[in-house]
């Protein structure tokens, strides 16, 4: 499909399932790009996106409704785990964590090992072809 074919923009499950944690210096009060006021300390070395360390996680930067239409409010400033999290099927490789997050919201897995690789596999909320997304330790 065209630009409309990006499963992430109608998903967002990983932004509302995992704790999104990263090295503290990625925040903009320490020289990085992630808005510090959208983060909270996790430990001495790490921060996480606010909302993702909750019993029912949801990143404070996530806009829209999971499984319907979503976007990342800080797409250009999102932290490393968001940039590195691959949509299942991207480049022909499954991502169990993506499938698991989607399953939580009743969304089907995007990739089966018997499937041919997706030809237009790009990830990340609201982005053009790229390759990233969320993750970090599961709750
Ligand atoms: S990476 Fe997977 S879980 Fe995250 S938004 Fe994209 S399809 Fe959904
Ligand atoms: S991609 Fe954006 S909305 Fe999703 S977890 Fe990362 S910062 Fe939050």
């Amino acid at each position: 499909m065209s630009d409309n074919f990006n499963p992430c923009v109608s998903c967002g499950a990983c932004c509302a399932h995992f704790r999104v944690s990263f090295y503290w210096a990625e925040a903009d009060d320490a020289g990085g790009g992630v808005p510090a006021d959208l983060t909270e300390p996790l430990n001495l070395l790490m921060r996480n996106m606010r909302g993702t360390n909750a019993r029912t996680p949801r990143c404070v930067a996530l806009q829209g409704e999971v499984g319907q239409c979503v976007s990342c409010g800080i797409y250009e400033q999102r932290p490393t785990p968001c940039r590195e999290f691959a949509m299942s099927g991207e480049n022909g490789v499954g991502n169990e964590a993506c499938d698991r997050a989607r399953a939580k919201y009743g969304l089907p897995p995007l990739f089966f090992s018997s499937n041919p690789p997706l030809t237009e596999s790009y990830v990340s909320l609201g982005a053009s072809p790229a390759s990233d997304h969320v993750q970090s330790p599961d709750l």
Side-chain angles (χ1 to χ4, degrees):
M1 276 192 269
S2 66
D3 284 350
N4 293 325
F5 182 70
N6 179 350
C8 294
V9 301
S10 59
C11 178
C14 51
C15 308
H17 183 61
F18 299 107
R19 185 177 67 211
V20 180
S21 56
F22 45 91
Y23 185 55
W24 69 276
E26 284 197 43
D28 62 6
D29 62 356
V34 183
D37 60 345
L38 300 184
T39 75
E40 59 190 9
L42 179 62
N43 56 41
L44 281 177
L45 294 177
M46 306 287 286
R47 307 185 197 218
N48 56 263
M49 292 302 298
R50 275 177 34 217
T52 67
N53 199 23
R55 183 176 296 273
T56 54
R58 180 182 166 114
C59 178
V60 67
L62 182 64
Q63 301 173 343
E65 185 176 347
V66 173
Q68 299 295 320
C69 181
V70 293
S71 62
C72 173
I74 57 163
Y75 183 76
E76 296 298 333
Q77 292 81 39
R78 69 201 189 286
T80 299
C82 305
R83 296 173 184 276
E84 294 182 345
F85 193 84
M87 178 185 70
S88 193
E90 184 181 11
N91 298 321
V93 178
N95 179 357
E96 181 275 334
C98 167
D99 293 338
R100 180 157 37 96
R102 288 175 59 84
K104 176 182 176 182
Y105 290 92
L107 301 169
L110 293 174
F111 181 77
F112 299 92
S113 58
S114 57
N115 282 355
L118 294 177
T119 54
E120 294 181 83
S121 56
Y122 39 90
V123 186
S124 279
L125 305 179
S128 51
S131 61
D132 350 318
H133 211 180
V134 191
Q135 62 81 258
S136 102
D138 201 353
L139 287 176

